Amino acid sequence: MATQQNEAEVSEASPSSPEPTVQVSDATVVPMGRPADRAEAALGNSPCPAVIAVAAAVAAAAAADNPAACSSDFEEHRDVLHMENGEGTTDPQLWCELKTMARRLMASLHPEDTMKDMLQALLQCSSDEDCQEQELYETTQAFASLKTRLSTRKQLWKCHPRTILMTKKHQDLVVTAKLKTMIRWLIDTAHIPNILLETAVFDELRDTFAADTCVRAWTADSDEPIDLIILLGGDGTLLHTAALFQGRMPPVLPFALGSMGFLTPFQFRTFDTSLRTIFNGNCSLFMRMRLQCRIARKSAAAPPMFHVLNEVVLDRGPTAYVTKLEILCNNQTITRVVGDGLIIATPTGSTAYSVAAGGSMVHPDMSCFLITPICPHSLSFRPIIVPSHIELEIRVLNKAAWASMDGRHQHELVEGESIFISCSPHPVPTITQQSATDDWFTGLSRCLSWNTRESFK
């Protein structure tokens, strides 16, 4: 699978601009796994650190809602944070790593940036070994505020992207015609030197662009750096595109040319204006969480790994019998499922299969999993939401069950085999039209007619 890094550079949009530039590839890969993994990943970035990646890693590891519970991320392991007699004691090594990241982040900011004030809360803790409850509370509140500011912070392309991958809705002549129009604009007006197409799409357009050597075929195992992905299609096209990148993924600019368009906020009729704004002006990147899925077989073969944007579904497949599953959280049994199956969804996937099965709709900026049963035998088994720092294991208890990831990659699991699900370290960076929140509520209203009434119009 492709794991390209991006070449185009961005810098933070600020009234005064002597800030260091940041590689898009670093800024778009926000570590979202266990706290220690996030810290290690952020610390391992380039010498000129990515502001967004480092800050988001620190914020995700340190953000908390109240001083008593501290951060759910910190609670993942006893060796990371212990709560004894109402006092918090952090693991010295992790605390030192967080301080190191904060110092690096401060060094990369402009001297007059008020964000530095927020970072002082972390650096002013009295001890690396003993952080009192009030100090931890002030620190986590500062980073909660920091995370909010980062989510609305604009990014500025330093130069036009040089290599663009274009994906489209398959077997749709209308979309194909619009793709030709956009490619011609990218060549003649934007002067993009490298335009990549999937092999099947390239073969379809080979004659049209035979004289344009900048248009080339691309496969998922290619290691050619990609600066930007432009998508023409619907939500299914975005799922297909995300599946091509089972590691780091370039930013995605989605144009709505599908049937739903919940995840594709940009309109094709104004594509030239949108592209000019993004190439020459500013844009916001939003990281969509993915699931990391590993199938554990009875055989000794290495388990396949998948990074899933919407949901993992385990169901009875072609059999007429109900499926029996056991759900474990961090090796502790939660419950057993008897019914047609089970959905484990991301917040992005909460408005897809999960909501059709009775699950809640969750804002995509939330860090959680949705566990939604499919026609459970017990009416008391209601959908639940769990934090994303845990690891789920779904174990098959009867003859067989079938697992699918985003509606593809179907695998049969026999009795005793399991699928392990955790938060992927490789999110999908999507360019927002307004902001992640505005785009989401617009999608609820436009695509799902959420709470629409005549009296509200």
Side-chain angles (χ1 to χ4, degrees):
M1 290 296 179
T3 56
Q4 286 86 345
Q5 295 184 353
N6 314 53
E7 287 183 333
E9 295 180 339
V10 295
S11 61
E12 289 220 29
S14 173
S16 44
S17 215
E19 305 177 8
T21 59
V22 180
Q23 294 292 329
V24 171
S25 55
D26 291 329
T28 57
V29 182
V30 178
M32 297 180 67
R34 297 186 300 112
D37 294 338
R38 286 197 296 266
E40 180 181 356
L43 288 168
N45 276 340
S46 60
C48 179
V51 173
I52 299 300
V54 177
V58 178
D65 293 325
N66 59 74
C70 292
S71 172
S72 59
D73 283 323
F74 274 135
E75 291 178 336
E76 181 181 2
H77 296 296
R78 290 286 181 179
D79 61 344
V80 175
L81 177 67
H82 302 282
M83 296 303 296
E84 300 173 356
N85 302 323
E87 293 186 356
T89 304
T90 60
D91 173 66
Q93 181 178 358
L94 176 61
W95 198 247
C96 181
E97 289 176 346
L98 292 176
K99 284 194 171 185
T100 301
M101 285 190 289
R103 290 189 182 99
R104 289 189 177 185
L105 176 58
M106 289 186 67
S108 66
L109 294 175
H110 187 264
E112 298 180 0
D113 198 319
T114 57
M115 191 180 293
K116 288 192 173 186
D117 296 336
M118 301 180 186
L119 296 172
Q120 289 294 343
L122 180 62
L123 297 176
Q124 290 176 352
C125 285
S126 60
S127 170
D128 283 342
E129 297 183 359
D130 297 312
C131 179
Q132 297 302 316
E133 186 173 318
Q134 183 61 29
E135 291 176 320
L136 181 61
Y137 174 72
E138 293 174 355
T139 301
T140 54
Q141 289 301 307
F143 274 103
S145 177
L146 172 62
K147 185 179 180 182
T148 301
R149 286 194 59 191
L150 287 171
S151 67
T152 59
R153 206 168 176 87
K154 297 288 186 179
Q155 296 298 313
L156 193 67
W157 290 95
K158 184 180 178 181
C159 60
H160 284 198
R162 296 183 55 81
T163 303
I164 295 178
L165 171 65
M166 305 191 70
T167 61
K168 78 172 197 72
K169 183 178 181 180
H170 288 296
Q171 298 178 342
D172 190 307
L173 296 179
V174 173
V175 176
T176 300
K178 294 180 182 299
L179 175 64
K180 294 177 182 179
T181 301
M182 183 176 287
I183 292 177
R184 181 52 57 193
W185 185 90
L186 290 172
I187 295 173
D188 296 341
T189 304
H191 307 294
I192 302 298
N194 300 295
I195 298 175
L196 307 180
L197 304 172
E198 291 183 81
T199 301
V201 179
F202 178 77
D203 291 341
E204 187 178 353
L205 303 181
R206 185 189 300 270
D207 294 338
T208 304
F209 298 100
D212 299 294
T213 57
C214 61
V215 180
R216 294 181 283 110
W218 176 88
T219 58
D221 57 0
S222 170
D223 59 357
E224 182 170 2
I226 295 174
D227 301 321
L228 177 68
I229 300 173
I230 297 179
L231 179 153
L232 278 66
D235 297 348
T237 309
L238 179 58
L239 295 179
H240 165 74
T241 304
L244 297 174
F245 295 84
Q246 291 294 294
R248 290 190 174 192
M249 185 170 180
V252 181
L253 174 60
F255 286 91
L257 289 173
S259 57
M260 180 63 74
F262 193 83
L263 304 178
T264 53
F266 289 89
Q267 300 301 311
F268 182 82
R269 63 178 178 271
T270 57
F271 82 86
D272 52 345
T273 301
S274 298
L275 290 176
R276 283 191 180 95
T277 300
I278 291 168
F279 291 169
N280 299 322
N282 56 38
C283 65
S284 293
L285 288 176
F286 176 67
M287 308 299 168
R288 293 189 177 274
M289 188 188 86
R290 285 200 281 187
L291 301 176
Q292 180 172 273
C293 309
R294 173 173 57 88
I295 298 177
R297 300 287 190 185
K298 288 183 176 180
S299 64
M305 187 80 73
F306 303 95
H307 298 273
V308 181
L309 179 58
N310 260 11
E311 73 274 307
V312 177
V313 177
L314 284 93
D315 57 32
R316 57 183 178 155
T319 67
Y321 303 99
V322 295
T323 186
K324 297 180 180 180
L325 306 169
E326 183 178 18
I327 306 176
L328 296 90
C329 172
N330 293 340
N331 297 321
Q332 297 292 323
T333 298
I334 300 178
T335 189
R336 293 188 175 186
V337 183
V338 179
D340 282 355
L342 188 70
I343 302 169
I344 309 297
T346 65
T348 294
S350 68
T351 51
Y353 193 0
S354 177
V355 74
S360 177
M361 294 185 291
V362 178
H363 189 286
D365 199 27
M366 300 296 293
S367 183
C368 61
F369 305 147
L370 290 83
I371 302 177
T372 308
I374 305 173
C375 299
H377 187 267
S378 171
L379 294 179
S380 64
F381 187 7
R382 309 312 303 158
I384 61 173
I385 299 174
V386 296
S388 63
H389 63 77
I390 67 175
E391 181 180 60
L392 294 175
E393 177 187 356
I394 314 300
R395 185 178 298 163
V396 178
L397 299 180
N398 59 348
K399 290 185 178 180
W402 292 79
S404 62
M405 294 77 174
D406 284 343
R408 64 192 76 216
H409 304 302
Q410 195 171 45
H411 298 267
E412 183 180 11
L413 279 70
V414 300
E415 183 177 358
E417 294 184 336
S418 300
I419 182 168
F420 291 85
I421 301 172
S422 58
C423 185
S424 170
H426 304 295
V428 175
T430 55
I431 297 176
T432 61
Q433 186 177 45
Q434 303 171 68
S435 69
T437 297
D438 291 340
D439 287 356
W440 190 67
F441 280 109
T442 299
L444 288 182
S445 176
R446 175 172 52 86
C447 300
L448 302 182
S449 299
W450 178 64
N451 198 31
T452 300
R453 288 182 171 186
E454 286 296 324
S455 59
F456 294 166
K457 293 182 179 179

